[in-house]
Amino acid sequence: MEEYIEPLEELIDQFRRLSGIGRKTAVRLAFSVVNYTDEQAEEFASAVLRAKKEIGTCPVCQNLSVAGQKCPVCSDPGRDRSTICVVEDSRTVMSMERVREYKGVYHVLHGVLSPSNGVTPDMLRIGELLSRLDDGTVKEVIIATNPTVDGETTAMYISRLLRDRNVKVSRLAYGIPVGGDLEYADEITLFRALEGRTEMMS
Amino acid sequence: MEEYIEPLEELIDQFRRLSGIGRKTAVRLAFSVVNYTDEQAEEFASAVLRAKKEIGTCPVCQNLSVAGQKCPVCSDPGRDRSTICVVEDSRTVMSMERVREYKGVYHVLHGVLSPSNGVTPDMLRIGELLSRLDDGTVKEVIIATNPTVDGETTAMYISRLLRDRNVKVSRLAYGIPVGGDLEYADEITLFRALEGRTEMMS
């Protein structure tokens, strides 16, 4: 439904195209821009164009990087190149980095296999992962796709591809989130937590 | 905290400047843009610039309009020009229009008086409202500022300015929202609902 004058509706439409933005939020965001000074609007528009132009992917791990350059992790000589953590997207890289415990490198798939959404293996950066294993440096591949149906399918698919390669393949543990309340945990998480129970040292 | 590569952080920053957007949402929005095609990014950036350039305010009611033109309501010959509904911003005009019962015109203040935020009467479009009353066409001014402290202050201020003008000044009714639950209504709303109670016809 067109309600506002045309240039405003167009801006609202543009905001709605962004991930997870509904009509009401898009209207609020568009009104923010309407209240911008000319200079602020220019800055916003040029940040959009610049991001598109200057952001590329790392030739090694496929993480987002300044176009034509290796990403910060792959550029760091202190990282352990024998362990690769395979993630769905660059946001997961950031979550892992915040833990500060992981010293290995990453591989970003840019998605997960999803038969229902028509995402097939050739649409992910799986070939690039396989070629990283060729020189024998890599000893372990940790698959850290999300605990969803598609994430599981992808983890399974990759672990099968790696079966004949001389690498250990692991998966992040499932369980109760720290600080969570058992009362609110869903059955599948509880089941996985039970299944993955570890012996207590006393 | 800078986490991502610079052009991405800049875009995240730009999204954070929009009303009501926190870091996590800004990251999600920026990632949407990173996944855009060049053409989509161009369209987005130009919608921002176009909105800023082509959106002005209606010379009559101060509602948002295509720069240099009257707004759709003021251009409509079918509207009743004897009634003006005074609102804080153009979004409220849209909410009122959705009701489809109001046939009068509007006046958009572009804010509310707020001593705490340093908003004084000269920063609102109050002078423009007063001059609309000069030719005697207007019979009623309905003040529809928000039911907040600042909204009330503004309503009171305007009603005093209009005291000596030959117009009826009214305010939207307070009460329990339709479909609301009395159990969750705050005391002030309940008090106002009680105060404004109407006789039931039987």
Side-chain angles (χ1 to χ4, degrees):
Chain A
M1 176 177 56
E2 288 247 338
E3 287 184 322
Y4 293 100
I5 51 172
E6 199 272 327
L8 187 51
E9 279 294 337
E10 192 191 312
L11 186 59
I12 293 168
D13 259 12
Q14 287 291 338
F15 277 118
R16 286 200 70 174
R17 277 175 215 180
L18 297 168
S19 137
I21 298 290
R23 169 91 190 170
K24 283 199 171 182
T25 307
V27 168
R28 197 185 72 224
L29 300 179
F31 269 91
S32 297
V33 171
V34 169
N35 291 324
Y36 272 6
T37 62
D38 285 351
E39 199 187 3
Q40 288 172 318
E42 290 278 359
E43 273 175 21
F44 185 28
S46 76
V48 168
L49 297 175
R50 210 184 136 214
K52 194 57 221 162
K53 196 175 140 207
E54 298 185 12
I55 299 173
T57 51
C58 173
V60 181
C61 75
Q62 314 298 322
N63 189 7
L64 294 183
S65 68
V66 175
Q69 294 177 21
K70 279 190 191 177
C71 75
V73 174
C74 288
S75 310
D76 181 349
R79 304 298 292 235
D80 168 16
R81 283 162 172 72
S82 71
T83 309
I84 294 181
C85 177
V86 177
V87 296
E88 294 182 18
D89 56 38
S90 295
R91 268 173 290 190
T92 314
V93 171
M94 287 304 150
S95 306
M96 291 288 295
E97 287 295 282
R98 271 194 287 270
V99 181
R100 294 181 189 283
E101 277 307 314
Y102 181 67
K103 300 298 177 204
V105 289
Y106 296 94
H107 192 85
V108 181
L109 296 173
H110 290 273
V112 271
L113 295 177
S114 176
S116 55
N117 294 316
V119 182
T120 53
D122 56 295
M123 296 162 81
L124 304 178
R125 312 283 172 99
I126 292 176
E128 289 86 344
L129 172 62
L130 296 180
S131 22
R132 289 177 74 182
L133 306 181
D134 287 344
D135 69 1
T137 313
V138 179
K139 303 300 177 209
E140 178 172 5
V141 172
I142 302 168
I143 305 183
T145 50
N146 285 319
T148 57
V149 171
D150 290 344
E152 285 301 331
T153 307
T154 310
M156 199 68 77
Y157 179 85
I158 293 174
S159 77
R160 274 187 204 140
L161 281 183
L162 302 183
R163 197 184 288 157
D164 302 328
R165 303 281 193 135
N166 192 20
V167 289
K168 183 178 164 190
V169 180
S170 59
R171 181 94 176 92
L172 289 187
Y174 281 106
I176 308 299
V178 178
D181 188 326
L182 284 183
E183 195 182 340
Y184 302 117
D186 63 289
E187 302 82 42
I188 298 170
T189 303
L190 270 181
F191 173 70
R192 296 294 196 114
L194 194 63
E195 210 179 33
R197 68 190 178 276
T198 54
E199 202 175 340
M200 291 179 71
M201 301 301 164
S202 59
Chain B
M1 175 178 57
E2 288 247 337
E3 287 183 323
Y4 293 100
I5 50 172
E6 200 272 327
L8 186 51
E9 278 295 336
E10 193 192 312
L11 185 59
I12 292 168
D13 259 11
Q14 287 291 338
F15 277 117
R16 287 200 70 173
R17 276 174 215 181
L18 296 169
S19 137
I21 298 290
R23 168 92 190 169
K24 281 200 171 180
T25 307
V27 168
R28 196 185 71 224
L29 300 180
F31 269 92
S32 297
V33 172
V34 169
N35 291 324
Y36 273 5
T37 62
D38 284 352
E39 199 187 4
Q40 287 172 320
E42 290 278 359
E43 275 176 18
F44 185 28
S46 76
V48 168
L49 297 175
R50 213 186 133 211
K52 194 58 219 159
K53 196 174 140 208
E54 298 185 12
I55 299 175
T57 52
C58 173
V60 180
C61 75
Q62 314 298 322
N63 189 6
L64 293 184
S65 67
V66 175
Q69 294 179 21
K70 280 190 191 175
C71 75
V73 174
C74 288
S75 310
D76 181 349
R79 305 297 293 234
D80 169 15
R81 281 162 175 72
S82 71
T83 309
I84 293 181
C85 178
V86 177
V87 295
E88 294 182 19
D89 57 36
S90 295
R91 268 172 291 189
T92 315
V93 171
M94 287 304 149
S95 305
M96 290 289 294
E97 288 294 281
R98 272 193 287 270
V99 180
R100 294 181 188 282
E101 276 307 313
Y102 180 68
K103 299 298 176 204
V105 289
Y106 297 93
H107 193 83
V108 181
L109 296 173
H110 290 274
V112 273
L113 295 177
S114 176
S116 56
N117 295 315
V119 182
T120 54
D122 57 294
M123 295 163 80
L124 304 178
R125 312 282 172 100
I126 293 175
E128 289 86 344
L129 172 63
L130 297 179
S131 23
R132 290 178 74 181
L133 306 179
D134 288 343
D135 68 1
T137 313
V138 179
K139 303 301 177 208
E140 180 171 4
V141 173
I142 302 169
I143 305 184
T145 51
N146 286 319
T148 57
V149 172
D150 290 345
E152 284 301 330
T153 308
T154 309
M156 200 67 80
Y157 179 85
I158 292 174
S159 76
R160 273 185 203 141
L161 282 182
L162 302 183
R163 196 185 287 158
D164 303 330
R165 303 282 193 136
N166 192 23
V167 288
K168 183 178 164 191
V169 180
S170 58
R171 180 98 175 90
L172 287 189
Y174 282 106
I176 307 298
V178 178
D181 188 325
L182 285 182
E183 195 182 341
Y184 302 117
D186 63 289
E187 303 83 43
I188 299 170
T189 302
L190 269 180
F191 173 71
R192 296 294 196 113
L194 195 63
E195 210 179 32
R197 66 190 178 278
T198 55
E199 202 175 339
M200 290 180 71
M201 302 301 165
S202 60

